[in-house]
């Protein structure tokens, strides 16, 4: 497809052809109805019996099926032409928009796509000192429009060729063939349900034209944004719309709560009597406000309002929003760099006390430090860095408001969701398979452990466990990737990673009983123990109050922990500084 062909394309001709097939489809339907009335119904009421009548009726029924199948195939031709008109029209509009921008910037676009302009500052047609960047941006848009038209042309051509072959060799008269063709065409318009296998989602997505894909993103961002198997760029576009909608929705819900009721109904013997309506109002208010603050923090990050614009427009690396939602405590997935293009992809699962409120702020910067550490490692190894660092809050992390951190139910659900997410990244990745690292911090390590136990395992190359209270298994080999690819970092003074002493009291919980396993942790064998069999890397001891938060270099602490994680993420786990198991 070249510029002139797309620019001059007459969409009306495609629409005319589509309308002709609509008319043919309608006339054929009337023909079937007449045949049914004048032939089938009359024979059924004729009283004709016997062997010949039986054969005739069988053939007539078969012919009826063939006619219905042919009608379905005619309808599919019409649908294909409608998609062709829509796809080419969209590509043409994108091309014309790019050409108009070139014209408004006093630039000339040659038939082969080359862009020229007047470089003389004294000329009335001088474009300015940013002409090169403007031309590059316009050129990319022109190339994208031509690619969009090519993709539409090839996809529709394949569909029409298939239907033409069916018509010429008679397979289109087969009901099974017609049903399969109809199902395939309908599938292009039907978004896969949440939880669908990511590879099936990607296959569906690849079957859409560029115009159809864009239409899906614009019309159904809430369904596509969190669907594993949709490419990262499309998820990001959809979720930016979702995020704005969630902010507006939660603002409306907060306003809809009405004024704050009075906290107390009065006093009895000098003690205040709580107002039940106030308690209900406050619980709803606080839950909505926490999510709203979290969503707004993420929006501020994407708008470049935090940390000197990091994550905002033109940020290097770009920040992609791969997931957002208000289920449970809230959901949020962000990525520094595009995981569909990077050679090294890390996905960090947070743990205890994590909420959507922190994702736009400190949690995003945690993932950024992992990104930087991996880039440094690649550079030190004389490689061109190619990294994506994901922060994945796709589950309800336990909070310090009860015994949820002692239970495994949240990890079970989170592990299943995380497994699908990683499988989706594998499905959408471009080029050679990426080197993928799953990271679990705190209770998040248990989520990673549960993800590895899903059917087919967790499709990653390395696993990093830090501050882990156990991963639900007793041996590193049970994680499915080989013990030499399971890396463990545990600070000496981390209270979460250390199994509590027998009888130790935790506020709000009963006394902890003695563990029968000397290497035991809350959720299985201590990953830092020799019996677990993982590769332990060096981490600063820290203090009881800060060690659990220092694994990712917060405030420059953690010792070798973050550099070691960067080495693993970049594929150089063999260069970590090691520490003996305990």
């Amino acid at each position: 497809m070249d510029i002139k062909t797309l620019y001059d394309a007459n969409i009306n001709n495609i629409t005319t052809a589509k309308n002709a097939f609509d008319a043919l489809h309608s006339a054929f339907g009337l023909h079937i109805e007449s045949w049914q009335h004048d032939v089938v119904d009359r024979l059924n009421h004729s009283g004709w019996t016997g062997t010949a009548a039986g054969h005739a009726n069988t053939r007539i029924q078969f012919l009826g099926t063939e006619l219905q199948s042919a009608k379905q195939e005619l309808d599919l031709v019409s649908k294909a032409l409608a998609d062709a008109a829509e796809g080419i029209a969209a590509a043409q509009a994108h091309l014309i928009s790019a050409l108009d921008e070139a014209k408004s910037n006093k630039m000339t676009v040659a038939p082969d796509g080359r862009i020229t302009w007047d470089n003389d500052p004294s000329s009335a047609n001088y474009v300015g000192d940013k002409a090169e960047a403007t031309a590059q941006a316009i050129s990319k848009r022109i190339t994208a429009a031509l690619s969009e038209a090519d993709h539409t042309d090839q996809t529709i051509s394949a569909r029409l060729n298939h239907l033409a072959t069916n018509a010429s060799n008679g397979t289109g008269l087969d009901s099974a063939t017609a049903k399969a063709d109809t199902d395939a065409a309908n599938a292009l318009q039907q978004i896969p349900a949440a939880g669908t296998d990511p590879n099936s989602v990607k296959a569906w997505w690849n079957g859409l034209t560029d115009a159809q894909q864009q239409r899906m993103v614009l019309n159904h961002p809430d369904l596509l944004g969190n669907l594993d198997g949709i490419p990262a760029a499309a998820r990001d576009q959809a979720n930016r719309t979702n995020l704005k909608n969630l902010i507006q929705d939660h603002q409306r819900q907060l306003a809809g709560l009405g004024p704050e009721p009075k906290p107390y109904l009065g006093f009895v013997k000098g003690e205040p009597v709580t107002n039940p309506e106030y308690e209900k109002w406050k619980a709803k208010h606080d839950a909505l406000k926490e999510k709203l603050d979290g969503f707004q923090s993420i929006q501020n990050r994407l708008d470049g309002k935090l940390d000197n614009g990091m994550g905002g427009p033109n940020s290097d690396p770009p920040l992609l929003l791969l997931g957002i939602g208000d289920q449970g405590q809230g959901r949020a997935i962000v990525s520094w760099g595009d995981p569909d293009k990077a050679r090294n992809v890390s996905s960090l699962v947070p743990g205890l006390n994590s909420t959507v409120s922190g994702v736009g702020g400190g949690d995003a910067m945690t993932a950024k430090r992992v990104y930087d550490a991996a880039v440094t490692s690649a550079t030190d190894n004389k490689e061109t860095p190619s990294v994506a660092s994901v922060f994945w809050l796709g589950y309800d992390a336990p909070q310090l408001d009860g015994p949820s951190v002692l239970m495994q139910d949240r990890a079970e659900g989170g592990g299943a969701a995380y497994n699908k997410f990683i499988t989706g990244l594998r499905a959408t990745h471009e080029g050679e398979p990426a080197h993928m690292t799953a990271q679990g911090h705190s209770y998040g390590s248990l989520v990673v452990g549960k993800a590895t136990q899903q059917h087919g395992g967790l499709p990653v190359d390395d696993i990093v466990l830090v501050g882990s209270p156990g991963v639900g298994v007793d041996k590193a080999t049970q994680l499915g990737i080989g013990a030499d690819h399971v890396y463990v970092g545990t600070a000496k003074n981390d209270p979460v990673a250390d199994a509590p002493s027998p009888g130790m009291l935790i506020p709000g919980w009963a006394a902890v009983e003695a563990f029968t396993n000397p290497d035991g942790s809350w959720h299985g064998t201590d990953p830092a123990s020799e019996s677990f069999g993982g590769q332990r890397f060096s981490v600063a001891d820290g203090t009881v109050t800060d060690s659990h938060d220092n694994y990712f270099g917060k405030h420059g602490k953690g010792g070798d922990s973050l550099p070691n994680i960067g080495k693993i993420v970049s594929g150089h786990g063999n260069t970590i500084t090691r520490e003996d198991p305990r």
Side-chain angles (χ1 to χ4, degrees), residues 466-536:
V466 291
S468 175
V471 295
V473 299
D474 293 324
K475 300 287 184 182
T477 53
Q478 294 174 277
L479 297 178
I481 63 169
D484 54 337
H485 288 279
V486 178
Y487 298 89
V488 182
T490 299
K492 179 180 179 180
N493 296 314
D494 185 346
V496 174
D498 278 337
S501 304
M504 176 180 176
L505 290 175
I506 299 178
W509 301 343
V512 177
E513 299 297 330
F515 289 99
T516 57
N517 179 0
D519 293 329
S521 188
W522 282 112
H523 301 293
T525 297
D526 180 1
S529 67
E530 185 172 4
S531 64
F532 185 78
Q535 311 300 309
R536 190 172 180 192

Side-chain angles (χ1 to χ4, degrees), residues 395-396 398 407-417 443 446-451 454:
Y395 80 115
D396 284 339
M407 309 302 176
Q408 296 194 8
D409 55 333
R410 299 190 183 206
E412 293 281 0
Y443 188 90
L446 179 60
V447 175
V448 172
K450 295 296 183 182
Q454 301 295 310

Side-chain angles (χ1 to χ4, degrees), residues 132-403:
E132 184 72 33
T134 301
Q136 287 180 359
I138 294 172
S139 180
K140 287 181 180 179
R141 290 174 57 193
I142 292 173
T143 300
L146 296 177
S147 297
E148 183 178 357
D150 271 332
H151 183 66
T152 297
D153 186 40
Q154 293 167 13
T155 302
I156 299 302
S157 177
R159 287 168 63 182
L160 292 176
N161 283 338
H162 171 75
L163 294 169
T165 299
N166 286 357
S168 63
N169 63 20
T171 54
L173 300 178
D174 176 66
S175 60
T177 298
K179 182 180 184 304
D181 290 343
T182 301
D183 289 345
N186 290 340
L188 298 178
Q189 311 298 327
Q190 297 171 354
I191 298 174
T196 299
D197 173 64
N199 290 293
S200 297
V201 172
K202 183 57 165 55
W204 166 79
W205 182 258
N206 287 346
L208 303 176
T209 65
D210 292 348
Q212 288 171 324
Q213 291 174 354
Q214 184 63 16
R215 189 165 66 250
M216 287 289 183
V217 171
L218 294 175
N219 295 342
H220 307 286
D222 54 325
L223 300 179
L224 288 181
N226 297 302
L227 190 57
D228 298 317
I230 298 297
R235 290 182 71 160
D236 176 62
Q237 184 183 355
N239 283 318
R240 287 172 185 261
T241 300
N242 290 341
L243 179 59
K244 288 181 170 62
N245 291 341
L246 283 169
I247 290 173
Q248 294 175 357
D249 180 60
H250 281 67
Q251 288 172 336
R252 284 194 296 268
Q253 288 188 59
L254 275 172
L257 290 179
E260 176 182 336
K262 58 182 181 180
Y264 306 110
L265 296 176
F267 293 84
V268 176
K269 297 182 179 180
E271 295 294 326
V273 178
T274 302
N275 182 359
E277 292 304 313
Y278 169 78
E279 295 295 324
K280 293 178 184 177
W281 181 92
K282 189 175 189 311
K284 291 180 180 178
H285 175 276
D286 291 355
L288 287 169
K289 186 67 165 58
E290 182 175 21
K291 287 182 183 178
L292 176 59
D293 289 346
F295 296 146
Q296 189 61 61
S297 174
I298 295 171
Q299 185 65 63
N300 290 342
R301 170 72 62 186
L302 295 173
D303 289 341
K305 296 179 180 179
L306 303 174
D307 297 303
N308 296 319
M310 294 181 65
N314 303 316
S315 174
D316 186 17
L319 184 64
L320 278 65
L321 184 60
L322 301 184
I324 197 72
D326 65 350
Q327 307 97 304
Q329 296 168 186
R331 304 284 187 265
I333 308 170
V334 296
S335 176
W336 295 97
D338 188 342
D340 288 347
K341 302 180 185 301
R343 290 197 311 274
N344 298 293
V345 179
S346 163
S347 300
L348 171 61
V349 183
L352 185 63
N353 273 354
S354 297
T355 65
V356 71
S357 296
V359 174
D363 292 336
M365 296 313 297
T366 294
K368 179 61 166 58
R369 288 193 294 273
V370 171
Y371 176 94
D372 291 339
V375 166
T376 297
S377 173
T379 303
D380 290 345
N381 283 277
K382 297 180 172 54
E383 298 172 350
T384 301
S386 179
V387 179
S389 178
V390 178
F391 188 89
W392 186 88
L393 184 60
Y395 80 115
D396 284 339
Q399 307 296 305
L400 271 180
D401 56 1

Side-chain angles (χ1 to χ4, degrees), residues 3 70 90 112 150 190 193 238 367 385 412 414 437 508 530 557 567:
I3 292 176
D112 63 359
D150 271 332
Q190 297 171 354
E412 293 281 0
T437 303
E530 185 172 4
K557 298 181 179 180
K567 292 173 182 178

